Amino acid sequence: MGATPVSVEHTTYNPDAVYLSWEVDGKFFGDGREVALLEYIYARPDLEKLRGNPQKVLQAIDDYGRSVRGLINIGSMKGSIVCDIIARHRPAVVLELGGYIGYSAIMFGHAMRQAGGKQYYSVEKSPLFAAVATSLIDLAGLRDHVRVVVGTGAEGTRRLYEEGKISRVDMAFFDHFKPAYTDDLKLCERLGVVGPGTLIVADNMVLPGNPRYLEWVHASVERKREMDKGAAEKGNPNLQYRNQSISSWEPSGQEDAMEITECYGIED
Ligand SMILES: C[S@@+](CC[C@H](N)C(=O)[O-])C[C@H]1O[C@@H](n2cnc3c(N)ncnc32)[C@H](O)[C@@H]1O
């Protein structure tokens, strides 16, 4: 286990923040609801008030999630915790893996800009979701600070690194394909994208859970060196992490937790 004890916090449950069920006819996303969201937003009578206003765009997305279709975004309850972390940590550059329709990119990109940050990169595998996100980020007036990159977490991270857009990031937010978290973190470690000073926020530690990821970020340097020996995807086991688990609620109303991992050094 890591050097620092894990503490658990709960945030206030807000029943008014809950979305409609994600599941419709056995589908949780990708059944047309994301394009329908875009049409809903651009048909709103208050569209002009949304322009350049991230909070109002988020409210409009929440309205859709509560009255038309559930959406698999982070939602306002867990999202507000991350905004507080951004206000305290003041990241200049953030890397997000799993952008969906841009809710977290708008919320956290706005929080980052308010905290004096420069650039939020959101990597999203689906070109369709990425297009929806790009349009909503533009509507929110965040075009200069938030950029959507189409690709898997690994592809997007590599491309941004090779293009010289990212080196060490101040914060990484993992909210994509759960089995890919560990290997994508290891890639970030190898490239030096994650290193001393980086804060990693990883969502969905309860729903559906991610034991392999938690094992890696909680392991001692010595243990990670052992684990890395036979691993196909190697990380940088010398990075020292301390962790905190924060419990909160999905927009579905179900309880979940985020793992907050701070890289505080490198062991020789
Ligand atoms: C839970 S959603 C992200 C929600 C978003 N962060 C928010 O809070 O607004 C997960 C997203 O990850 C995307 N995804 C799935 N596998 C991926 C991968 N390997 N790399 C990047 N994105 C992926 C999905 O297309 C989906 O849009």
Side-chain angles (χ1 to χ4, degrees), residues 158 183 186-187 190 212 227-235:
R158 263 201 204 91
D183 286 351
K186 286 183 173 187
L187 171 68
R190 277 203 317 279
R212 185 169 166 246
M227 289 162 79
D228 231 18
K229 270 184 194 156
E233 191 76 21
K234 295 195 189 303

Side-chain angles (χ1 to χ4, degrees), residues 2-39:
T4 309
V6 173
S7 73
V8 179
E9 290 173 22
H10 279 260
T11 49
T12 312
Y13 177 69
N14 176 8
D16 294 335
V18 171
Y19 284 3
L20 296 175
S21 171
W22 288 328
E23 188 185 351
V24 179
D25 298 331
K27 292 233 170 187
F28 293 80
F29 62 97
D31 54 357
R33 74 185 76 179
E34 294 81 14
V35 172
L37 164 74
L38 203 56
E39 286 169 342

Side-chain angles (χ1 to χ4, degrees), residues 74-92:
I74 192 154
S76 58
M77 289 179 276
K78 278 193 289 181
S80 67
I81 296 169
V82 181
C83 287
D84 288 347
I85 291 170
I86 290 172
R88 282 202 305 270
H89 191 63
R90 303 174 70 83

Side-chain angles (χ1 to χ4, degrees), residues 29 72-75 96-105 108 123-126 129 151-154 173 175-178 180 184 203-204:
F29 62 97
I72 57 161
N73 59 45
I74 192 154
E96 167 180 277
L97 305 186
Y100 193 41
I101 53 82
Y103 186 96
S104 53
F108 305 155
V123 178
E124 169 53 48
K125 185 178 169 190
S126 156
F129 300 164
T152 65
F173 174 52
D175 193 17
H176 57 314
F177 182 52
K178 310 313 158 192
D184 288 351
D203 196 15
N204 306 122

Side-chain angles (χ1 to χ4, degrees), residues 6-182:
V6 173
S7 73
V8 179
E9 290 173 22
H10 279 260
T11 49
T12 312
Y13 177 69
N14 176 8
D16 294 335
V18 171
Y19 284 3
L20 296 175
S21 171
W22 288 328
E23 188 185 351
V24 179
D25 298 331
K27 292 233 170 187
F28 293 80
F29 62 97
D31 54 357
R33 74 185 76 179
E34 294 81 14
V35 172
L37 164 74
L38 203 56
E39 286 169 342
Y40 164 91
I41 297 228
Y42 281 94
R44 282 176 67 112
D46 62 349
L47 177 65
E48 290 313 311
K49 294 198 177 114
L50 269 52
R51 288 192 199 282
N53 191 325
Q55 297 295 3
K56 284 199 188 301
V57 172
L58 292 171
Q59 271 165 25
I61 298 171
D62 285 335
D63 288 348
Y64 178 92
R66 289 172 196 145
S67 64
V68 186
R69 281 281 168 93
L71 296 166
I72 57 161
N73 59 45
I74 192 154
S76 58
M77 289 179 276
K78 278 193 289 181
S80 67
I81 296 169
V82 181
C83 287
D84 288 347
I85 291 170
I86 290 172
R88 282 202 305 270
H89 191 63
R90 303 174 70 83
V93 179
V94 180
L95 174 68
E96 167 180 277
L97 305 186
Y100 193 41
I101 53 82
Y103 186 96
S104 53
I106 292 170
M107 187 181 252
F108 305 155
H110 176 50
M112 184 207 71
R113 185 173 68 175
Q114 281 188 317
K118 284 193 295 231
Q119 196 67 48
Y120 192 100
Y121 293 103
S122 175
V123 178
E124 169 53 48
K125 185 178 169 190
S126 156
L128 181 68
F129 300 164
V132 172
T134 302
S135 178
L136 294 178
I137 288 162
D138 190 39
L139 180 65
L142 289 165
R143 186 202 300 195
D144 294 340
H145 287 83
V146 182
R147 188 186 143 197
V148 178
V149 176
V150 180
T152 65
E155 289 164 354
T157 301
R158 263 201 204 91
R159 195 170 340 122
L160 286 166
Y161 178 80
E162 282 161 12
E163 287 171 358
K165 300 284 194 314
I166 55 170
S167 48
R168 174 80 36 86
V169 299
D170 307 293
M171 183 174 151
F173 174 52
F174 285 10
D175 193 17
H176 57 314
F177 182 52
K178 310 313 158 192
Y181 278 29
T182 314

